[in-house]
Amino acid sequence: EAVRKLKADKLILLDEIEAWEGKKHLPREVVSGYLHSKGKPDDSHVVSNIYGVVFLEGEDLHKKPESERRALLEKLAFPQSTVNEPDLRYRLNLVPAKEAKNLAELKSTVQDLRKRPASEGVVVKKHKAIYHLDRNSRNGWFKRHNAPPTIDLGVEVVETKVKVKKT
């Protein structure tokens, strides 16, 4: 319903869904549970954070530079754009974009945004970066995670014919 209120008839948006409980950002597992729930899910605690547009009013935009896609995205009249707790009544949040003119500004902005309530990290995009449909940024996007990603390993114990001598 919230997408229908935007100033566009045909569009494909890029987003990440977050769950909130009041001012508390909930872990990704809550969103996963919501997405996999059976029956009519309760979406009163979720918000869609929109960070891009790749199709608008019949035009494929993915090969246009980030700066042009962002300008078109901002014209859609989102009800909010915050890096803090979103107002869940709106269901949509345009992820704010900040421009850094030099390395010092970039470092300062990244450090500030990383500390926000919902931040899992910061994505830095080059103005001329296009959106590759295979999700490979090809050095046009860089993500600074707040926490290092974890690696899950599956281990299986297999009995062998080799005997180990106990000492």
Side-chain angles (χ1 to χ4, degrees), residues 101-115:
K101 294 181 175 51
N102 56 51
L103 186 57
E105 273 188 29
L106 177 62
K107 286 180 180 179
S108 173
T109 301
V110 166
Q111 290 306 317
D112 173 54
L113 294 174
R114 288 182 59 234
K115 296 174 186 171

Side-chain angles (χ1 to χ4, degrees), residues 1-12:
E1 185 64 29
V3 174
R4 289 188 177 103
K5 294 178 183 176
L6 297 176
K7 293 183 177 182
D9 291 322
K10 297 176 184 176
L11 72 164
I12 297 175

Side-chain angles (χ1 to χ4, degrees), residues 26-132:
L26 300 176
R28 286 179 176 258
E29 293 80 9
V30 173
V31 174
S32 181
Y34 161 75
L35 293 173
H36 292 93
S37 61
K38 297 201 180 340
K40 187 172 183 190
D42 173 17
D43 66 355
S44 63
H45 64 294
V46 297
V47 64
S48 180
N49 289 305
I50 310 298
Y51 63 87
V53 59
V54 292
F55 183 85
L56 183 60
E57 306 301 6
E59 185 179 0
D60 180 356
L61 305 175
H62 87 276
K63 290 185 179 178
K64 292 197 177 290
E66 171 64 25
S67 56
E68 288 182 36
R69 284 183 284 114
R70 182 65 194 202
L72 292 168
L73 187 62
E74 290 178 355
K75 290 180 182 178
L76 298 178
F78 283 85
Q80 67 183 331
S81 181
T82 183
V83 293
N84 295 312
E85 300 88 4
D87 185 332
L88 297 177
R89 293 175 299 166
Y90 297 121
R91 300 286 180 246
L92 297 177
N93 178 50
L94 175 61
V95 174
K98 304 207 181 254
E99 184 176 333
K101 294 181 175 51
N102 56 51
L103 186 57
E105 273 188 29
L106 177 62
K107 286 180 180 179
S108 173
T109 301
V110 166
Q111 290 306 317
D112 173 54
L113 294 174
R114 288 182 59 234
K115 296 174 186 171
R116 300 302 177 133
S119 181
E120 294 175 357
V122 177
V123 176
V124 177
K125 302 175 186 177
K126 293 180 179 178
H127 285 281
K128 294 180 181 179
I130 67 170
Y131 185 82
H132 295 276

